[in-house]
Amino acid sequence: MIGDAIAGWIGNRIDRRDGEGGTLGALAGVLTWKAAKKIVPAAIVLGGAAYAYHHFTRGREPAA
């Protein structure tokens, strides 16, 4: 909840720089924050799984 408020405030401030308003920027900031809360942990898990697969299959390669 507080993260949504902070993201909305930051988006509002960024959007006000053009002098027109900040509602669209606040909305974009909140949506970006909500998406990042789901995507970043998933990317970390998938990256860790890919690294583990690479690490464990590397040892199985026959010596040349």
Side-chain angles (χ1 to χ4, degrees), residues 11-59:
N12 183 338
R13 294 308 235 170
I14 291 171
D15 196 29
R16 280 189 175 187
R17 289 184 185 172
D18 64 3
E20 292 183 11
T23 306
L24 185 60
L27 183 62
V30 171
L31 292 176
T32 301
W33 171 247
K34 287 185 182 240
K37 286 193 304 186
K38 295 182 187 288
I39 293 170
V40 171
I44 291 171
V45 169
L46 291 175
Y51 176 74
Y53 175 77
H54 171 73
H55 179 72
F56 290 120
T57 58
R58 184 179 58 180

